[in-house]
Amino acid sequence: MPKLKKHHDPQKTSLFWWLVAILCSILTIAVIIVGIIVFVGYLVIHPRIPIISVVNAHLDHFQYDLAGILVTQVTIIVRSENDNTKAHASFSGMNLTLFFDGIAIAHLVAGAYEVRKNDTKDFNYVATSTPIPLDPSQMKDIDVFLNEDEVRFDLKGNARARWRVGPLGSVRFQCHLNCQLKFHISNGTYIPKRCTSKAK
């Protein structure tokens, strides 16, 4: 008489793996809900994004000798602005470079700092160059600047900004500054021009 084959019941999924699957589902739903809350909260409080800008400046010193050596000093007031009336802004990684005719003459930096709701914070930078040897082309540029009584510097760099939206989320920005600063050489006065970051 042929032997009957034994049929094995399919192995049951253990309680542990059921709990893991349920927990993963709960976490996925929670992440989606938090994302929606952060996005909606951002839309609700969305004012103008945090910015950095130059609000004033002065050419303190501009000395150029016949040997083609330039020494200069510039005072620059950089403002961090937070127009958000519902959240503080955190700024970090402020790193700006002042250039003269393509030569980096000073780095303007700041550590992490806070700007309160609907407030501003100013940094007063004094950028002093070391003696700068100029090549013949740059010496010609200096002669033009002296004749026009106007000298130009470039200010470039970045800062990071962040708003906290609710207890679980935040919105981050990259503030990029790239502008030209102009001064009258005769009296050092700043020729005002819009110099404000573009946030990404």
Side-chain angles (χ1 to χ4, degrees):
M1 184 174 177
K3 294 182 179 179
L4 296 176
K5 292 183 179 180
K6 294 182 179 178
H7 293 279
H8 297 281
D9 294 331
Q11 189 174 2
K12 295 181 178 179
T13 303
S14 69
L15 179 61
F16 171 77
W17 291 112
W18 277 113
L19 292 175
V20 169
I22 292 170
L23 182 61
C24 288
S25 299
I26 292 172
L27 288 176
T28 300
I29 294 170
V31 168
I32 293 172
I33 291 173
V34 169
I36 293 172
I37 291 172
V38 170
F39 180 71
V40 171
Y42 172 66
L43 292 180
V44 169
I45 70 171
H46 180 58
R48 191 171 66 165
I49 52 185
I51 59 172
I52 56 174
S53 59
V54 173
V55 293
N56 204 355
H58 189 268
L59 180 63
D60 304 323
H61 186 66
F62 193 83
Q63 181 178 338
Y64 168 66
D65 63 24
L66 295 178
I69 303 297
L70 173 68
V71 177
T72 186
Q73 178 177 294
V74 183
T75 296
I76 304 171
I77 300 176
V78 178
R79 175 169 294 170
S80 302
E81 186 172 350
N82 175 28
D83 279 352
N84 193 330
T85 60
K86 299 182 182 297
H88 294 344
S90 300
F91 287 82
S92 62
M94 171 93 79
N95 193 338
L96 308 175
T97 303
L98 184 68
F99 295 89
F100 173 75
D101 209 11
I103 303 170
I105 63 173
H107 296 285
L108 318 180
V109 298
Y113 58 96
E114 295 271 332
V115 179
R116 299 178 64 82
K117 304 172 186 178
N118 198 29
D119 203 357
T120 62
K121 186 177 182 68
D122 290 349
F123 289 92
N124 190 359
Y125 292 106
V126 179
T128 305
S129 74
T130 57
I132 305 169
L134 303 177
D135 61 31
S137 174
Q138 291 167 330
M139 292 170 68
K140 289 181 180 178
D141 290 340
I142 292 287
D143 290 335
V144 172
F145 295 152
L146 291 172
N147 288 333
E148 294 177 348
D149 190 28
E150 183 179 299
V151 65
R152 298 179 288 276
F153 295 83
D154 293 305
L155 185 63
K156 301 179 182 180
N158 299 278
R160 295 186 297 273
R162 180 172 63 94
W163 281 332
R164 180 161 294 282
V165 183
L168 300 176
S170 62
V171 181
R172 299 174 186 271
F173 306 91
Q174 184 78 9
C175 304
H176 179 63
L177 197 66
N178 183 359
C179 53
Q180 192 172 76
L181 308 180
K182 296 182 179 181
F183 303 88
H184 291 302
I185 298 175
S186 58
N187 56 18
T189 56
Y190 175 55
I191 302 172
K193 182 181 179 182
R194 180 176 172 81
C195 179
T196 300
S197 68
K198 296 178 180 178
K200 299 179 181 179

